């Protein structure tokens, strides 16, 4: 009778979740996708996993604690998206890179949009002629009273355009007012630097 050798014992390593990091659009709250990332300042035994819209930082149970919180270095790989977001350059880093400290178990880092314009083209309901001489305002649908607002001066007959501004979460969505009366509720297109809408003035 032959004796089979004992099966080798495999060591068990316990890994625990330490941090999750999400980058969100400051106006819409949508999670940003298209990310490349790596850890810096983390001891051996720490690891980072990049999922489509979240970064997951784990550590082995036997890994030592860092003296200071590690950082996650994130690069936005979607150039078209990065062009409409405020991502200040970081010395010595590739373009579109953010350095985020792991100072909480769940880190949510808001990335603000670049200033953009809103253009409203108004026509009269009966003739379709340009509606000139109106007072057009974009008013936030949330926030303190009185609600924040942005004026849209007339730049051509019937065409009203805001200055480039950051459309904050309070303006997502926003109300278009003509002469102080609500005309339409709409959302600025955060994928571009200029949003244009054509409306019939029924106020």
């Amino acid at each position: 009778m032959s004796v089979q050798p004992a099966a080798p014992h495999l060591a068990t390593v316990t890994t625990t979740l330490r941090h999750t990091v999400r980058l969100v659009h400051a106006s819409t709250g949508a999670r940003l996708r298209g990310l490349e990332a790596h850890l810096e300042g983390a001891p051996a035994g720490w690891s980072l996993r990049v999922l489509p819209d979240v970064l997951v930082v784990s550590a082995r149970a036997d890994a030592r604690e860092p003296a200071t919180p590690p950082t996650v270095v994130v690069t936005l790989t979607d150039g078209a998206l990065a062009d409409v977001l405020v991502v200040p350059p970081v010395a010595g880093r590739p373009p579109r890179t953010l350095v985020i400290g792991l100072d909480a178990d769940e880190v949510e880092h808001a990335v603000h949009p670049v200033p953009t314009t809103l253009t409203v083209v108004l026509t009269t309901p009966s003739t379709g002629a340009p509606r000139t001489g109106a007072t057009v305002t974009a008013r936030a649908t949330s926030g303190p009273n009185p609600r924040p607002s942005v004026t849209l001066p007339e730049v051509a007959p019937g065409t009203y355009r805001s200055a480039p501004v950051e459309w904050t979460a309070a303006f997502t969505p926003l109300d278009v007012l003509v002469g102080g009366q609500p005309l339409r509720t709409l959302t600025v297109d955060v994928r571009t630097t200029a949003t244009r809408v054509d409306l019939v003035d029924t106020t």
Side-chain angles (χ1 to χ4, degrees):
M1 182 178 69
S2 62
V3 178
Q4 298 295 325
H9 174 71
L10 301 179
T12 301
V13 176
T14 302
T15 300
T16 58
L17 173 66
R18 302 302 298 266
H19 304 277
T20 57
V21 181
R22 296 178 177 87
L23 278 66
V24 299
H25 194 287
S27 294
T28 67
R31 296 182 187 178
L32 304 186
R33 303 169 70 93
L35 310 174
E36 289 183 353
H38 66 272
L39 277 173
E40 290 189 355
W46 286 60
S47 61
L48 171 69
R49 186 180 179 192
V50 180
L51 300 178
D53 60 2
V54 63
L55 309 175
V56 178
V57 179
S58 303
R60 293 176 18 166
D62 58 351
R64 65 178 179 85
E65 289 296 318
T68 58
T71 57
V72 172
V73 180
V74 187
T75 300
L76 303 180
T77 59
D78 185 339
L81 172 65
D83 285 344
V84 291
L85 295 172
V86 177
V87 186
V90 180
R93 306 285 187 182
R96 307 190 296 272
T97 294
L98 299 159
V99 180
I100 303 171
L102 297 177
D103 52 5
D105 293 344
E106 296 186 8
V107 178
E108 186 172 277
H109 184 88
V111 185
H112 291 264
V114 300
T116 64
T117 61
L118 171 63
T119 300
V120 174
V121 179
L122 287 181
T123 55
T124 57
S126 56
T127 66
R131 169 68 165 92
T132 60
T135 300
V136 180
T137 306
R139 186 180 66 185
T141 53
S142 63
N145 285 317
R147 298 281 171 80
S149 62
V150 174
T151 58
L152 280 67
E154 190 169 12
V155 296
T159 300
Y160 302 82
R161 180 174 300 123
S162 73
V165 297
E166 177 187 342
W167 300 97
T168 64
F171 288 91
T172 308
L174 59 83
D175 291 325
V176 174
L177 310 181
V178 177
Q181 299 301 311
L183 174 61
R184 182 71 60 85
T185 298
L186 56 86
T187 300
V188 170
D189 187 351
V190 297
R191 300 167 300 177
T192 182
T193 57
T195 298
R196 171 184 163 133
V197 291
D198 292 77
L199 302 175
V200 176
D201 182 11
T202 56
T203 59

